[in-house]
């Protein structure tokens, strides 16, 4: 595979190779580019007796910390307001403030840029309203104002819950009234909507109903100056059919400024169900967008509706129920209709409830947002949704896109409360408080997202540079190897030329001519054949730098036979292979021949009154081949003094060939030793050459 990659890099232009690698990298391991980022800034353990919210009470761009504390066995509740880390005021009230029942609000009743804190305390079986103006001299506006009573039960599903409300001027006196709703769990009552007139200290209450209205909000119609109230209803089947507006059904309800029904409530059969309601405008008229969210029998479908302000159905769209639909939701964003499934599917709808656009919020587990607010100070609301993991939540932008996840540790049934903190520097923090932790997060644009194309360019440039560098190095290696090969060829060609020197050829031809004159045609023909084999060998392997050891041995065998004849058969030779040595290994061309030629020319050739002997032995031990060349000639010292034909040039050529070979073939190293042989008279009757061929990574 590596060799194939090398060939690819050498055959293709580096730019094309880089482009292919870049595309494959983006497909196999795409870079996740989040348009927004969220980072935890603070972490603190929660206290079961206290809980915190934040609000800019005097519109100075900095949020004040508002702390609610229960102590003395929940018989006294305290409200504390901070400026920075310092408490600027504190108020104590009888009873306790139930954290899980959303019993505190912040609002500005008279729009004097100084907000009030609205706090409900529960004392015995009574719900009491308290209002303080933290930044005024007479800070307590209202204390222990009775709102309603409820039946006390030991279970958490009993009692009374305060539900989301708001502020609106229902009587047009320039002072906003405070409205909210209550639910009662298994106690069944009170399930009412309330409007409290702060200026006149009067309380309006909706008529008795078996249905609980939650998430109440006010809105205006095109021809009405006073606001109307609507909200979501839940049908759990606690009340009988005879009870007014029983929760055996779901109800579409709209209240006027006196909490009378604006039109006759519209009923929806069957429970358990939840009816989600959102007002919106279309062509200058006000309508109600509703979602019938049913999770009972699968034979009854869920549905989306559009109602006019007379309570008449305008459009309906039935929905397929793939699985449990309890966690679906609806939203109105910039007067557009959105339906969210419990699996994160988002449908943008037109007035006739047709889907105009669809996408998925990856990782979302519930369609109803946990919170919405401007987290990045761009004037648009972001949305927080529950993620699939227990502690996971998602933040999307104002269009329900580009989600980023974060974690808030909490119990399974106790979701955290979220609020926005203004830091006073044009930035905001998200505050999350659960039953276990208090956390602060910074949220905003991911700076890397705007430079993602530059990152892509830099990434491609880095890949291109690496590929180019690799290709350049490979080209240099190939070029260097080519130069080495050329140099080896030159040395070996020089060696061959030396072997086939003109005077050698001339002497051999004279010898053959003499044989012919004597009439020894058979011997002359044999010499011509052997010499032809030498020439043929030289031609066949002329472009090779290495040849099999067997071919080198064949060559020197023919050479020695010819030299025997040339020197009147004055020496013998033997070639032996031991230990099943591998004759297929590669050796540099002319490696053995050079040493054998020296043994003839400078050794046995100069013997007097003594027959010469040249022995060649090949053996193998594990991964080392040993080739020994022995002669009983006159020795190296006498040869150097008795002939002008020095052996040094031949050995220098061999040294260069071996050096180049060792650089070129990494898994095979060649070395040699030359020893002088001694006889009994301590003279030097010959030379012993040992050639070692070590093959790395291979064992016999």
């Amino acid at each position: 595979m590596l060799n194939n990659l090398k060939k690819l890099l050498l055959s293709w232009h580096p730019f094309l190779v880089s482009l292919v690698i870049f595309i494959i990298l983006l497909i196999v391991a795409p870079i996740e580019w989040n348009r927004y980022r969220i980072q935890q800034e603070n972490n603190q353990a929660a206290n079961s007796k206290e809980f915190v919210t934040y609000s800019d009470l005097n519109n100075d761009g900095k949020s004040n910390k508002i702390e609610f504390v229960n102590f003395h066995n929940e018989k006294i509740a305290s409200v504390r307001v901070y400026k920075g880390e310092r408490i600027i005021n504190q108020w104590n009230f009888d009873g306790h403030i139930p954290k899980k029942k959303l019993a505190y609000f912040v609002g500005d009743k008279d729009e004097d840029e100084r907000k009030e804190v609205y706090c409900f305390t529960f004392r015995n079986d009574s719900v009491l309203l308290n209002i303080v103006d933290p930044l005024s001299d007479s800070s307590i506006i209202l204390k222990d104002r009775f709102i309603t009573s409820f039946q006390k039960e030991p279970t958490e599903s009993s009692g009374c819950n305060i539900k989301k409300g708001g502020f609106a001027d229902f009587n047009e006196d320039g002072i906003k009234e405070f409205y909210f709703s209550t639910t009662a769990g298994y106690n069944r009552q009170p399930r009412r909507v309330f409007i409290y007139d702060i200026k006149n200290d009067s309380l309006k209450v909706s008529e008795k109903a078996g249905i609980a209205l939650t998430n109440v909000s006010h809105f205006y119609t095109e021809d009405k100056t006073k606001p109307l109230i609507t909200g979501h209803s839940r049908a759990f089947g606690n009340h009988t059919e005879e009870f007014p507006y029983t929760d055996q059904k779901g109800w579409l309800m709209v209240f006027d400024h006196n909490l009378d029904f604006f039109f006759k409530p519209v009923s929806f059969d069957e429970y358990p169900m939840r009816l989600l309601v959102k007002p919106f405008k279309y062509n200058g008229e006000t309508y109600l967008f509703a979602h019938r969210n049913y999770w009972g029998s699968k034979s009854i479908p869920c549905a989306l509706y559009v109602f006019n302000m007379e309570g008449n159905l305008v459009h309906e769209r039935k929905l397929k129920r793939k699985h449990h639909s309890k966690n679906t939701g609806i939203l109105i964003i910039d007067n557009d209709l959105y339906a969210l499934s419990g699996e994160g599917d988002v449908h943008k709808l037109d007035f006739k409830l047709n889907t105009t656009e669809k996408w998925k919020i990856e990782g979302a587990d519930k369609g109803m947002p946990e919170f919405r607010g401007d987290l990045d100070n761009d004037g648009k609301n972001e949305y927080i949704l529950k993620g699939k993991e227990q502690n996971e939540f998602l933040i999307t932008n104002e269009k329900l896109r580009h989600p980023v996840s974060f974690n808030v540790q909490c119990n399974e049934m106790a979701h955290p409360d979220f609020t926005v903190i203004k830091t006073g520097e044009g930035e905001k923090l998200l505050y999350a408080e659960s039953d276990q932790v208090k956390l602060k997060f910074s949220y905003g644009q991911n700076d890397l997202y705007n430079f993602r194309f530059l990152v892509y360019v830099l990434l491609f440039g880095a890949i291109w540079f690496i590929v180019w560098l690799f290709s350049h190095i490979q080209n240099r290696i190939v070029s260097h190897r080519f130069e080495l090969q050329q140099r080896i060829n030159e040395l070996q060609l020089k060696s061959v030329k030396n072997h086939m020197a003109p005077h050698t050829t001339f002497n051999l031809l004279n010898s053959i001519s003499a044989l012919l004159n004597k009439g020894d045609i058979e011997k002359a023909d044999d010499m011509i054949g052997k010499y032809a084999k030498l020439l043929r060998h030289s031609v066949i392997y002329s472009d090779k730098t290495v040849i099999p050891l067997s071919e080198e041995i064949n060559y020197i065998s023919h050479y020695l036979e010819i030299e025997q004849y040339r020197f009147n058969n004055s020496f013998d030779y033997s070639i032996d292979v031991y230990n099943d040595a591998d004759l297929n290994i590669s050796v540099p061309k002319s490696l053995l021949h050079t040493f054998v030629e020296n043994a003839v020319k400078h050794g046995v050739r100069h013997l007097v009154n003594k027959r010469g002997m040249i022995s060649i032995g090949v053996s193998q031990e594990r991964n080392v081949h040993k080739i020994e060349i022995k002669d009983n000639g006159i020795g190296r010292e006498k040869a150097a003094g008795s002939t002008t034909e020095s052996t040094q040039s031949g050995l220098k050529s061999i040294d260069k060939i071996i050096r180049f070979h060792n650089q070129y073939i990494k898994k095979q190293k060649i070395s040699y030793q030359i020893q002088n042989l001694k006889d009994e008279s301590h003279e030097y009757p010959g030379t012993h050459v040992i050639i070692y061929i070590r093959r790395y990574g291979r064992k016999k």
Side-chain angles (χ1 to χ4, degrees):
M1 181 177 179
L2 183 60
N3 291 331
N4 292 336
L5 178 61
K6 290 180 180 179
K7 291 179 181 179
L8 178 68
L9 293 175
L10 293 174
S11 61
W12 282 29
H13 193 281
F15 179 86
L16 296 177
V17 177
S18 304
L19 184 60
V20 171
I21 295 175
F22 179 70
I23 293 173
I24 293 174
L25 183 63
L26 292 185
I27 294 174
V28 175
I31 303 175
E32 296 293 336
W33 292 106
N34 289 327
R35 187 169 186 173
Y36 298 90
R37 57 104 187 107
I38 185 167
Q39 181 176 344
Q40 182 177 310
E41 304 290 343
N42 196 343
N43 188 337
Q44 183 180 354
N47 187 331
S48 61
K49 295 185 179 297
E50 66 181 39
F51 43 95
V52 173
T53 190
Y54 287 84
S55 181
D56 184 3
L57 296 176
N58 60 356
N59 202 31
D60 66 349
K62 293 183 179 180
S63 293
N64 299 91
K65 177 182 175 182
I66 306 171
E67 187 177 59
F68 304 91
V69 184
N70 292 309
F71 49 91
H72 296 300
N73 294 323
E74 296 194 340
K75 292 181 179 180
I76 297 178
S78 177
V79 179
R80 300 169 183 169
V81 174
Y82 290 73
K83 186 173 183 179
E85 297 299 321
R86 180 175 60 89
I87 298 176
I88 61 175
N89 217 332
Q90 176 176 325
W91 305 266
N92 295 329
F93 304 99
D94 292 339
H96 71 283
I97 305 172
K99 177 182 179 182
K100 294 183 180 179
K101 305 185 189 312
L102 193 65
Y104 53 90
F105 300 85
V106 178
D108 186 1
K109 60 181 175 54
D110 51 9
E111 296 186 347
D112 61 352
E113 296 188 348
R114 194 173 67 233
K115 295 178 181 177
E116 305 84 38
V117 178
Y118 298 73
C119 173
F120 290 94
T121 55
F122 286 34
R123 187 171 64 192
N124 297 323
D125 62 351
S126 299
V127 178
L128 308 177
L129 175 61
N130 306 278
I131 306 174
V132 297
D133 186 350
L135 304 180
S136 68
D137 295 333
S138 55
S139 56
I140 295 182
I141 298 175
L142 186 69
K143 184 176 182 179
D144 297 338
R145 173 61 160 88
F146 177 80
I147 299 298
T148 187
S149 60
F150 61 93
Q151 181 180 352
K152 294 186 66 176
E153 294 290 343
T155 64
E156 289 189 4
S157 298
S158 303
C160 181
N161 297 324
I162 308 298
K163 294 299 181 180
K164 178 183 176 182
F167 301 86
D169 187 1
F170 290 96
N171 57 13
E172 299 181 303
D173 63 354
I175 302 296
K176 292 181 180 179
E177 284 74 51
F178 173 47
Y179 66 91
F180 57 95
S181 66
T182 61
T183 64
Y186 293 129
N187 284 342
R188 302 179 181 176
Q189 291 298 311
R191 297 179 178 179
R192 304 286 185 91
V193 178
F194 299 82
I195 297 177
Y196 178 69
D197 185 344
I198 302 170
K199 181 178 179 180
N200 301 305
D201 188 25
S202 64
L203 185 68
K204 296 178 181 178
V205 185
S206 64
E207 65 178 273
K208 182 183 291 188
I211 197 73
L213 213 61
T214 62
N215 291 79
V216 291
S217 62
H218 70 277
F219 66 100
Y220 294 87
T221 60
E222 62 282 354
D223 56 350
K224 301 292 183 181
T225 58
K226 294 182 180 180
L228 305 176
I229 292 177
T230 190
H232 308 330
S233 63
R234 298 183 180 183
F236 293 106
N238 295 146
H239 284 289
T240 64
E241 288 283 357
E242 291 74 24
F243 199 90
Y245 307 108
T246 174
D247 67 351
Q248 299 281 331
K249 303 177 180 180
W251 297 89
L252 173 62
M253 293 180 173
V254 177
F255 299 95
D256 64 12
H257 62 284
N258 290 317
L259 290 182
D260 295 325
F261 291 121
F262 187 71
F263 56 77
K264 183 180 179 181
V266 179
S267 67
F268 295 82
D269 292 339
E270 297 296 335
Y271 73 91
M273 66 156 287
R274 178 174 59 176
L275 185 71
L276 308 176
V277 181
K278 294 285 184 180
F280 72 101
K281 292 188 181 297
Y282 179 76
N283 287 342
E285 296 186 18
T286 304
Y287 295 88
L288 298 173
F289 176 37
H291 175 27
R292 183 175 184 269
N293 186 358
Y294 177 79
W295 59 88
S297 171
K298 292 185 178 181
S299 62
I300 300 177
C302 297
L304 298 171
Y305 307 95
V306 173
F307 290 90
N308 61 22
M309 291 312 298
E310 285 76 41
N312 298 320
L313 180 63
V314 179
H315 296 293
E316 177 182 3
R317 175 182 174 180
K318 293 183 179 179
L319 303 176
K320 294 181 179 180
R321 291 178 56 198
K322 295 181 180 179
H323 29 74
H324 201 283
S325 61
K326 190 174 181 180
N327 297 323
T328 57
I330 60 173
L331 288 172
I332 305 293
I333 303 175
D334 294 335
N335 225 37
D336 291 323
L337 312 182
Y338 293 83
L340 292 80
S341 75
E343 295 76 43
D345 295 316
V346 180
H347 292 257
K348 186 177 180 181
L349 310 170
D350 60 14
F351 180 67
K352 294 183 179 181
L353 302 178
N354 298 313
T355 298
T356 60
E357 195 174 355
K358 179 183 177 181
W359 66 93
K360 188 177 185 67
I361 303 175
E362 294 295 338
D365 190 51
K366 291 186 178 181
M368 183 61 70
E370 303 274 331
F371 173 83
R372 69 175 181 178
D374 184 7
L375 302 179
D376 56 2
N377 212 30
D378 64 351
K380 299 177 181 179
N381 286 330
E382 281 71 43
Y383 295 86
I384 298 180
L385 293 91
K386 183 68 183 69
K388 293 186 181 298
E389 302 298 327
Q390 177 178 328
N391 298 323
E392 182 186 19
F393 295 85
L394 306 174
I395 299 181
T396 73
N397 68 354
E398 72 281 358
K399 294 295 186 181
L400 298 173
R401 297 182 184 272
H402 304 291
V404 291
S405 66
F406 65 103
N407 291 324
V408 180
Q409 187 177 357
C410 57
N411 289 326
E412 186 173 358
M413 300 303 294
H415 286 186
D417 295 323
F418 297 100
T419 190
V420 178
I421 303 175
K422 295 180 180 179
T423 64
E425 300 174 354
E427 296 181 355
K428 295 180 178 181
L429 296 175
L430 171 65
Y431 176 73
E433 179 175 338
S434 71
D435 57 333
Q436 299 185 30
V437 292
K438 299 177 181 180
L439 303 173
K440 292 179 182 178
F441 299 91
S442 60
Y443 170 84
Q445 287 272 359
N446 182 5
D447 294 335
L448 285 178
Y449 182 82
N450 296 326
F451 296 98
R452 61 192 185 281
F453 296 112
L454 177 60
V455 173
Y456 282 131
V457 171
L458 293 176
L459 177 61
F460 176 78
I463 294 174
W464 175 84
F465 176 76
I466 293 172
V467 172
W468 174 85
L469 183 62
F470 185 77
S471 176
H472 179 70
I473 292 173
Q474 286 298 312
N475 286 329
R476 290 290 299 272
I477 292 173
V478 171
S479 177
H480 182 60
R481 287 182 175 178
F482 179 77
E483 292 175 0
L484 288 176
Q485 185 173 349
Q486 289 294 101
R487 183 59 177 156
I488 292 173
N489 286 339
E490 291 174 3
L491 291 170
Q492 291 177 332
L493 182 60
K494 181 179 179 181
S495 177
V496 170
K497 288 180 178 179
N498 290 333
H499 302 157
M500 302 301 169
H503 71 276
T504 301
T505 303
F506 180 75
N507 290 337
L508 181 62
L509 292 176
N510 282 337
S511 299
I512 294 172
S513 177
L515 288 173
L516 292 174
N517 289 331
K518 292 179 181 181
D520 194 350
I521 298 175
E522 183 178 352
K523 186 65 175 177
D525 185 61
D526 183 53
M527 288 296 102
I528 292 173
K530 289 182 175 10
Y531 189 65
K533 289 180 180 180
L534 292 182
L535 291 176
R536 181 175 178 274
H537 182 279
S538 300
V539 172
I540 290 176
Y541 294 103
S542 62
D543 61 340
K544 305 294 183 183
T545 58
V546 293
I547 62 174
L549 177 59
S550 59
E551 291 296 329
E552 181 74 0
I553 290 175
N554 287 336
Y555 183 83
I556 61 176
S557 177
H558 296 315
Y559 168 75
L560 287 172
E561 288 184 19
I562 292 174
E563 292 297 275
Q564 270 185 324
Y565 174 75
R566 287 186 59 219
F567 296 114
N568 299 319
N569 201 27
S570 61
F571 68 90
D572 296 319
Y573 75 91
S574 65
I575 300 176
D576 299 300
V577 179
Y578 306 102
N579 301 333
D580 296 326
D582 184 7
L583 298 183
N584 292 320
I585 65 169
S586 298
V587 296
K589 188 170 59 178
S590 300
L591 174 66
L592 272 65
H593 181 271
T594 300
F595 292 109
V596 171
E597 183 184 35
N598 284 340
V600 174
K601 292 172 60 178
H602 308 297
V604 298
R605 173 185 172 186
H606 300 287
L607 290 174
V608 178
N609 299 324
K610 183 179 181 181
R611 187 168 182 80
M613 179 64 189
I614 298 175
S615 61
I616 301 169
V618 181
S619 61
Q620 178 182 354
E621 294 183 4
R622 295 174 66 83
N623 61 339
V624 179
H625 282 71
K626 184 166 67 172
I627 304 172
E628 298 182 78
I629 303 171
K630 294 181 182 180
D631 70 75
N632 63 345
I634 62 174
R636 298 174 69 199
E637 292 185 3
K638 289 184 178 181
S642 64
T643 180
T644 57
E645 299 177 15
S646 174
T647 64
Q648 296 302 315
S649 60
L651 291 179
K652 287 180 180 179
S653 296
I654 277 296
D655 289 339
K656 290 181 180 179
I657 290 173
I658 290 175
R659 185 171 67 253
F660 291 145
H661 178 86
N662 290 343
Q663 293 178 15
Y664 180 69
I665 301 180
K666 300 299 182 183
K667 291 186 177 182
Q668 183 172 288
K669 300 298 179 184
I670 298 176
S671 62
Y672 71 90
Q673 296 178 353
I674 300 179
Q675 302 173 355
N676 296 322
L677 297 177
K678 295 181 179 181
D679 60 8
E680 294 179 355
S681 62
H682 299 287
E683 293 185 355
Y684 297 94
T687 304
H688 183 193
V689 177
I690 307 174
I691 302 172
Y692 299 98
I693 303 175
R694 292 178 174 83
R695 307 183 74 191
Y696 296 100
R698 297 182 182 179
K699 294 182 180 181
K700 185 175 178 180

